[in-house]
Amino acid sequence: MYEHLNDIFITERLAKRLTEIEESEVTTVVAPMGYGKTTAIRCWQGRMKREHPEAVVLRQSVFSDSVNDLWRGFCRLLAKRNPTLAEHLREAGFPQDLRGCGLIADLWEEHRSACEAPVWCVLDDVHLLPPGALSCFLSFLPEGLEGFHMVLLSRNRILTRPEQLCLGRHLCEIRMTDLALSETEMMQYVSRCGVPLDERDAAKMMQVSEGWISLIYLFLRSRSQGGGWGFDAPNVFALIDQVMLEPLSERQRDFLLCCSAAEEFTLSQADFLWRALRGGDDAGELLTALSENNAFITVSEDGLYRCHNMLLQSVRSHLSQRPEHERRTLSARLGDWYLRQGECLEAMREYRKAEDWEGLLRALVADRGNSLDGEQHDAIIDLCENCPVEMLRAHPEAILVLTMGCFSVGAFPEMMRMNDLLLEVTRQSTSMSEEERNNYLGESQLLLSFLQFNSITGMSAFQRRAGELMTRPTRCLDLKSPWTFGAPSVLSLYHRDSGALDEENAQMRDCMPWYERISDGHGRGAEHVFAGETCLMRGDLNGAKISCLRAVEAAEEKQQHSILAAAAFLDARIDLLEGDYARMKKRVEDLRTALRKAGQLFLLTAADMCEAWCFALLGRPELAPEWVTDSAAASLKGPAWPSFLTVRDQVRLAHGDFAQLIASGERRKALFEEQHALLPAIYLHIHQAGACAGLDRRDAAVRELKTALALAAPDRLWLPFAENAPQLSCLWDDIKQSVDNRRPLLRLTERFMASRAAILREHFPARWDEGLTDRERNVAALAAQRLSGHEIADRLHLSENTVKTHLRRAYEKLGISGTDRNKRAALERIAGQ
């Protein structure tokens, strides 16, 4: 063996490219397997350590298509440097949209010292992630996270052309052409290794390898072992077998096969597996012998070993030919290792490979369902369908966790089947105490209640029975999870039937004590927010204030932050109606501070929606958090989704995005009807009316407004109409007869418009045309120049009726009233200031 054969070789050309990494926020290294991507970055990392010892380089390999796995792994690495920041990032979750990216940026700035060293995150095997999984975060990175850099290694293209252009000078791209050896560089490498090579063999090596350094290394290794060059090997894996596996002793090969069960491993992990498979105590000696003379087995500074992907693929091919019981034993033992480390999801995966159902159910119970998110949908279905029923029968606690997991991922038929099995096991058990049996029966009733969302009557019936049976808090749900699912409004979640709001309030007051009893106060105060929102919608501000105070007092007792967030949203809308902008703004800021302090980062979305709503109503949608108008708010789905869509549509209406609102209207209507989301449906029809009016589609606007009134009037829900008065005022003359008693609506509208105008005068004394849509601004500007309606219509290619509509709305938003002549004169004065 030539002593320099395993030395790292980096060409001068590549070394120069690697220096560019330090100046770039994002670096991509893209080439097929075996071109030295990992080795090149490891070399750069070593140089960074020597020249910039203060720099932090976090290296992580991607092993699956799960972004959540990726994020958890990154947070574990970061915890060694900054545990506080790592914990907050873990709570925030992987950033899949602008809101998530903004939250990560805030946390990064808040918990990372200004003098702290820059951080490079190296991700290997990025091609395993879904296409575009990192796109949003990478585009946000250059301007959003100071001192944070990413180095991405992949066999396939990572960025699209538009994404490359977006990153621009912030991007360093290292390609296959940078990594492949030229003929001259190949000769330098061979010379460095000390292996003699004549001109004819050099030409053949270059022809066969095309500069592929891993193949060149294998040729040199074959030659150094006394054989031929191996140019005639049928493929690279046959050559790996020939030069790397066949020379090993049987014990060394067995040990390597044992270690190949894990993507990467420590010495203690290898020892744990080796003792299980062969009962050996020589793992350390074997690992040293295998790694010290093999460039395809590397070890990191923190003792983490990894086989090169080509070697790993070859070894696993041999492992697949071993007896099935041996492979299952190895997977089961690896599952034991992960479970001991508290990595329950990884343990479940290995136990499933081993078909060790006993171990899998143990890991499931230990996890308590915390890892059973949407990415695990197929795994949950697989467990329900393939785990032997008798094994499930022996583990009722696992059935309970699995039933809740089915609910979490929307696998409702499987949920019902598992729930039926839980009931059967519980009733037939002869070993359970009466108390334990009743607790499981109660858990079953609680799980069934979730299928009744958002029928308060239906949920209440199941939860009352659960409360009568159970003597302890439930174990089937996370009591720290937000009761509101992240929505800022309880009324938007639970108001289901037109004309039934008073009855729904009574039901909510009756059922919440039963639910709180079995959930240790989860959602405490929700009934008071529900009542307060009802009062607010009817214009009863005093009633709303009283209920809100009760909600806050109740929620604080049990630290129910989602209820506190909903109460803050209620308070902010009260402030807006009272014209107190400073108090409204402070309330949102205080909510954000409290949520951050409590580690309730998910609920920051509710604070953002509250702020966006208020700014939209003030006609200042540009001040709303940017992510609210993003088409993919990935972190908000399920029951909270209608609430988010309502907020987003309110912002879009204020922006004047009328065509977009109308285009999405039918889909919204179907979704809200399916989810029985009545309050979002009322707002939807109002938004559609405003959008149609903005495009001079008066008949359609009137129809939408009448529909909204038909849904809202039986419960006296007047606030949605008052809040949208600037967009709706031109329509009321056509539907006066649709409202039996307009006085409460008129009073609330007058109050809202007066408070809005006062806030705008005091806090937004900016340009005369701010708050107008682009079309209203254009029409008003031409009217201020004394152009007639006909001339404006001709200039802007609009109908005269459309011009009249936009001008009327501009007058209303600018607070101009009087005769047409006086309004024109006032507009001219304002525009000339």
Side-chain angles (χ1 to χ4, degrees):
M1 177 75 72
Y2 296 89
E3 63 176 309
H4 295 293
L5 184 59
N6 294 300
D7 289 356
I8 291 177
F9 177 75
I10 301 292
T11 67
E12 292 182 8
R13 180 167 53 91
L14 178 57
K16 184 176 180 181
R17 292 300 322 275
L18 292 174
T19 62
E20 298 174 25
I21 296 176
E22 296 153 45
E23 308 301 324
S24 307
E25 279 75 17
V26 178
T27 299
T28 60
V29 187
V30 179
M33 179 171 58
Y35 271 83
K37 301 183 294 293
T38 303
T39 301
I41 296 304
R42 189 178 292 114
C43 180
W44 164 81
Q45 185 176 345
R47 186 177 61 78
M48 283 288 290
K49 183 178 180 181
R50 293 190 302 272
E51 299 179 6
H52 305 283
E54 76 285 355
V56 176
V57 180
L58 303 176
R59 190 181 189 91
Q60 181 181 1
S61 295
V62 177
F63 298 129
S64 72
D65 62 355
S66 169
V67 293
N68 291 331
D69 283 359
L70 168 68
W71 191 249
R72 283 190 290 265
F74 169 72
C75 291
R76 281 197 296 269
L77 287 174
L78 184 61
K80 299 175 183 178
R81 304 278 182 171
N82 190 329
T84 302
L85 174 60
E87 179 61 22
H88 282 294
L89 293 181
R90 188 188 64 79
E91 289 287 341
F94 178 76
Q96 301 186 55
D97 54 25
L98 287 176
R99 183 211 65 84
C101 291
L103 176 56
I104 297 302
D106 290 345
L107 293 170
W108 182 260
E109 182 178 352
E110 181 179 350
H111 295 285
R112 179 178 175 270
S113 169
C115 63
E116 195 166 338
V119 174
W120 274 268
C121 176
V122 179
L123 291 183
D124 206 344
D125 291 334
V126 171
H127 55 272
L128 295 177
L129 294 174
L134 300 175
S135 296
C136 184
F137 185 67
L138 292 178
S139 64
F140 181 85
L141 181 58
E143 306 298 334
L145 272 76
E146 182 181 357
F148 187 84
H149 310 257
M150 292 198 75
V151 182
L152 309 174
L153 285 65
S154 175
R155 298 179 198 172
N156 304 327
R157 185 176 182 175
I158 299 173
L159 302 171
T160 63
R161 184 58 180 161
E163 289 168 348
Q164 291 171 328
L165 293 173
C166 179
L167 286 169
R169 63 181 178 82
H170 302 286
L171 173 65
C172 169
E173 294 183 279
I174 297 177
R175 302 179 177 88
M176 186 182 79
T177 53
D178 298 307
L179 295 161
L181 303 185
S182 67
E183 186 169 359
T184 301
E185 291 164 341
M186 183 193 74
M187 293 303 295
Q188 291 173 349
Y189 174 44
V190 174
S191 175
R192 178 79 58 83
C193 293
V195 181
L197 179 67
D198 61 32
E199 186 174 332
R200 184 175 63 84
D201 288 336
K204 182 66 173 178
M205 183 179 289
M206 191 64 198
Q207 178 189 1
V208 175
S209 70
E210 296 182 336
W212 185 9
I213 193 169
S214 292
L215 187 54
I216 295 170
Y217 168 76
L218 291 171
F219 289 152
L220 297 178
R221 190 176 177 101
S222 175
R223 185 68 168 179
S224 72
Q225 292 173 354
W229 289 105
F231 295 153
D232 57 350
N235 56 58
V236 68
F237 296 106
L239 189 57
I240 288 175
D241 281 358
Q242 176 186 323
V243 304
M244 304 192 77
L245 297 183
E246 290 176 7
L248 300 178
S249 68
E250 182 179 357
R251 192 167 183 81
Q252 286 175 322
R253 281 197 301 271
D254 283 351
F255 178 74
L256 194 55
L257 262 62
C258 175
C259 293
S260 73
E263 298 288 344
E264 53 189 19
F265 54 90
T266 61
L267 172 57
S268 58
Q269 187 175 358
D271 179 68
F272 185 84
L273 295 175
W274 183 235
R275 288 178 185 274
L277 194 67
R278 289 289 182 266
D281 59 359
D282 54 347
E285 298 171 18
L286 290 167
L287 193 52
T288 299
L290 286 171
S291 60
E292 66 182 4
N293 293 313
N294 193 332
F296 275 27
I297 300 177
T298 58
V299 59
S300 65
E301 293 179 353
D302 52 358
L304 199 61
Y305 289 83
R306 190 180 185 196
C307 295
H308 189 283
N309 280 322
M310 292 197 302
L311 175 60
L312 188 63
Q313 191 170 330
S314 182
V315 174
R316 284 181 171 174
S317 175
H318 287 279
L319 180 62
S320 67
Q321 298 170 22
R322 289 297 182 97
E324 184 177 358
H325 72 86
E326 186 175 314
R327 287 182 277 119
R328 287 187 176 182
T329 298
L330 186 56
S331 292
R333 188 64 168 168
L334 186 55
D336 292 341
W337 169 267
Y338 284 132
L339 189 56
R340 288 188 178 191
Q341 309 306 310
E343 298 177 23
C344 298
L345 184 58
E346 288 78 3
M348 284 187 271
R349 289 169 178 161
E350 293 301 325
Y351 286 134
R352 179 62 184 93
K353 290 179 190 176
E355 294 193 14
D356 181 353
W357 302 109
E358 176 82 28
L360 197 158
L361 295 180
R362 279 202 325 271
L364 181 68
V365 171
D367 183 67
R368 302 306 312 174
N370 291 327
S371 302
L372 301 185
D373 53 29
E375 288 186 338
Q376 309 309 319
H377 176 275
D378 292 347
I380 292 171
I381 300 297
D382 172 72
L383 179 55
C384 291
E385 292 180 348
N386 293 302
C387 183
V389 174
E390 289 309 310
M391 184 64 69
L392 284 168
R393 286 176 175 276
H395 295 83
E397 192 71 15
I399 302 176
L400 179 63
V401 176
L402 184 56
T403 307
M404 189 60 198
C406 291
F407 175 79
S408 299
V409 301
F412 299 122
E414 289 77 12
M415 174 189 173
M416 294 303 298
R417 188 157 59 86
M418 289 298 104
N419 189 72
D420 289 344
L421 181 60
L422 178 63
L423 289 174
E424 181 183 332
V425 169
T426 301
R427 288 167 178 159
Q428 294 179 358
S429 174
T430 58
S431 60
M432 286 186 189
S433 66
E434 188 68 19
E435 181 180 14
E436 186 180 9
R437 178 179 289 105
N438 285 337
N439 279 323
Y440 276 120
L441 292 173
E443 295 277 21
S444 170
Q445 294 296 303
L446 179 59
L447 286 167
L448 291 175
S449 77
F450 299 147
L451 296 178
Q452 298 293 315
F453 184 90
N454 57 356
S455 168
I456 303 176
T457 303
M459 296 183 76
S460 177
F462 284 104
Q463 290 171 7
R464 181 185 288 269
R465 287 197 291 271
E468 292 170 346
L469 288 165
M470 296 177 68
T471 58
R472 56 161 174 77
T474 177
R475 294 203 294 254
C476 72
L477 56 87
D478 181 4
L479 300 181
K480 295 180 181 178
S481 62
W483 188 90
T484 63
F485 305 95
S489 164
V490 177
L491 195 65
S492 69
L493 291 172
Y494 285 97
H495 180 34
R496 179 185 179 100
D497 297 314
S498 181
L501 184 55
D502 289 330
E503 182 182 352
E504 289 168 347
N505 267 279
Q507 292 168 348
M508 182 75 82
R509 288 192 299 271
D510 180 61
C511 80
M512 280 306 295
W514 287 99
Y515 176 75
E516 289 176 27
R517 176 182 171 183
I518 56 177
S519 66
D520 195 25
H522 189 229
R524 178 165 293 183
E527 70 273 29
H528 300 304
V529 176
F530 195 68
E533 289 188 87
T534 300
C535 291
L536 180 68
M537 290 285 161
R538 293 170 173 173
D540 178 9
L541 267 61
N542 288 327
K545 289 178 182 178
I546 293 170
S547 292
C548 193
L549 289 170
R550 288 172 175 164
V552 170
E553 182 180 3
E556 284 181 341
E557 184 178 348
K558 285 292 184 178
Q559 294 297 294
Q560 291 300 295
H561 298 283
S562 69
I563 304 302
L564 292 171
F569 184 40
L570 172 57
D571 263 332
R573 286 177 291 170
I574 294 172
D575 296 336
L576 186 58
L577 276 170
E578 293 183 335
D580 196 333
Y581 175 78
R583 189 170 63 187
M584 179 193 77
K585 197 167 186 301
K586 184 177 184 302
R587 208 176 291 281
V588 177
E589 291 171 354
D590 289 347
L591 173 61
R592 281 202 181 95
T593 300
L595 292 174
R596 286 182 183 279
K597 186 176 180 181
Q600 297 288 319
L601 304 181
F602 175 74
L603 287 172
L604 289 173
T605 56
D608 285 350
M609 286 191 280
C610 173
E611 184 176 54
W613 185 264
C614 293
F615 280 129
L617 296 186
L618 290 172
R620 301 301 301 262
E622 70 279 4
L623 299 178
E626 185 179 0
W627 74 268
V628 172
T629 54
D630 183 22
S631 60
S635 60
L636 278 172
K637 298 296 181 188
W641 190 238
S643 297
F644 166 71
L645 293 177
T646 301
V647 174
R648 186 167 72 182
D649 284 355
Q650 190 72 55
V651 174
R652 285 180 171 173
L653 183 64
H655 267 302
D657 297 334
F658 303 138
Q660 190 172 34
L661 282 169
I662 293 172
S664 62
E666 291 305 314
R667 293 197 311 275
R668 297 275 199 278
K669 290 173 185 176
L671 173 66
F672 295 169
E673 182 176 352
E674 178 186 349
Q675 296 199 9
H676 305 287
L678 185 57
L679 185 61
I682 292 169
Y683 273 109
L684 172 62
H685 288 293
I686 290 173
H687 294 155
Q688 292 290 301
C692 289
L695 295 181
D696 200 25
R697 303 173 70 176
R698 190 175 186 83
D699 290 345
V702 169
R703 283 197 303 273
E704 293 287 355
L705 187 53
K706 285 183 176 179
T707 302
L709 280 167
L711 294 172
D715 295 300
R716 309 190 306 282
L717 301 180
W718 307 126
L719 184 61
F721 303 93
E723 291 172 325
N724 288 278
Q727 289 80 23
L728 302 179
S729 57
C730 60
L731 304 174
W732 285 113
D733 288 343
D734 288 3
I735 54 174
K736 286 180 179 177
Q737 305 307 316
S738 298
V739 184
D740 294 334
N741 182 2
R742 296 184 63 197
R743 290 176 188 167
L745 172 57
L746 290 174
R747 284 198 301 269
L748 195 55
T749 300
E750 289 170 0
R751 179 164 194 164
F752 172 79
M753 291 302 290
S755 296
R756 181 179 185 271
I759 290 173
L760 292 175
R761 280 195 304 270
E762 181 178 356
H763 297 280
F764 300 98
R767 288 178 15 231
W768 69 274
D769 59 354
E770 287 205 71
L772 304 185
T773 65
D774 290 341
R775 185 56 57 83
E776 291 165 355
R777 185 177 292 115
N778 292 335
V779 170
L782 294 175
Q785 298 173 28
R786 300 189 179 185
L787 271 68
S788 68
H790 176 76
E791 291 170 325
I792 295 172
D794 186 60
R795 175 100 42 112
L796 298 178
H797 307 289
L798 301 171
S799 71
E800 288 191 53
N801 281 336
T802 299
V803 170
K804 289 179 182 178
T805 298
H806 287 306
L807 195 54
R808 184 188 309 115
R809 291 157 65 98
Y811 286 146
E812 290 165 354
K813 290 182 179 181
L814 295 170
I816 297 174
S817 59
T819 64
D820 286 344
R821 181 187 295 271
N822 290 339
K823 286 191 286 189
R824 283 282 188 135
L827 182 61
E828 186 177 344
R829 285 196 305 273
I830 293 173
Q833 290 177 355

